[in-house]
């Protein structure tokens, strides 16, 4: 059963998923801490390059199936024009100011 983005527990994760799904790069970037980092399948990646290639230039979209750890870990069906659809896990580190300092994703 899909969890609508507006129903996600953590405000930062809720905004992240919404920005991805609406292809709002400016909003997406405003959610990240200035020194934010990320990893894909266990390897650190260049954040700007990854989000452009995997989300924005390839029309990324997330459908969240499950959340845990107070909403900071989600299982989602992620799809984009490059890879099609895959089951993915996402873990978020959110700072006191509400911005995301790190996210990790990979196949679930």
């Amino acid at each position: 059963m899909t969890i609508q983005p507006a129903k996600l527990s953590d405000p930062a994760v809720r905004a992240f998923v919404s920005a991805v799904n609406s292809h709002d790069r400016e909003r997406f970037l405003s959610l990240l801490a200035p020194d934010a980092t990320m990893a894909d399948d266990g390897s650190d990646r260049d954040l700007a390059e990854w989000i452009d290639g995997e989300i924005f230039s390839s029309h990324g979209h997330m459908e969240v199936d499950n959340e845990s750890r107070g909403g900071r870990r989600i299982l989602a069906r992620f799809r984009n024009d490059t890879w099609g659809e895959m089951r993915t896990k996402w873990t978020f580190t959110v700072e006191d100011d509400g911005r995301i300092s790190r996210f990790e994703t990979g196949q679930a």
Side-chain angles (χ1 to χ4, degrees):
M1 187 170 121
T2 302
I3 302 171
Q4 294 303 313
K7 304 272 190 199
L8 292 170
S9 300
D10 187 272
V13 174
R14 182 169 58 238
F16 181 99
V17 173
S18 295
V20 168
N21 290 351
S22 63
H23 309 290
D24 188 340
R25 179 192 298 265
E26 191 173 313
R27 172 95 173 107
F28 181 93
L29 293 173
S30 77
L31 303 170
L32 302 178
D35 56 350
T37 60
M38 65 84 52
D40 186 357
D41 283 328
S43 299
D44 277 19
R45 304 291 173 93
D46 178 275
L47 180 67
E49 187 178 289
W50 190 90
I51 63 174
D52 182 60
E54 299 294 330
I55 297 173
F56 294 106
S57 67
S58 62
H59 307 102
H61 188 86
M62 302 172 78
E63 291 196 27
V64 179
D65 293 325
N66 193 346
E67 66 175 356
S68 58
R69 295 188 190 167
R72 294 193 176 168
R73 182 176 172 95
I74 61 175
L75 288 175
R77 283 168 286 137
F78 181 80
R79 69 177 178 271
N80 65 25
D81 293 346
T82 304
W83 306 108
E85 184 174 297
M86 65 191 92
R87 189 161 167 77
T88 56
K89 60 183 183 246
W90 300 72
T91 304
F92 298 87
T93 303
V94 180
E95 297 306 309
D96 291 340
D97 67 1
R99 291 195 290 179
I100 297 167
S101 59
R102 181 167 178 83
F103 66 92
E104 298 180 22
T105 187
Q107 291 197 48

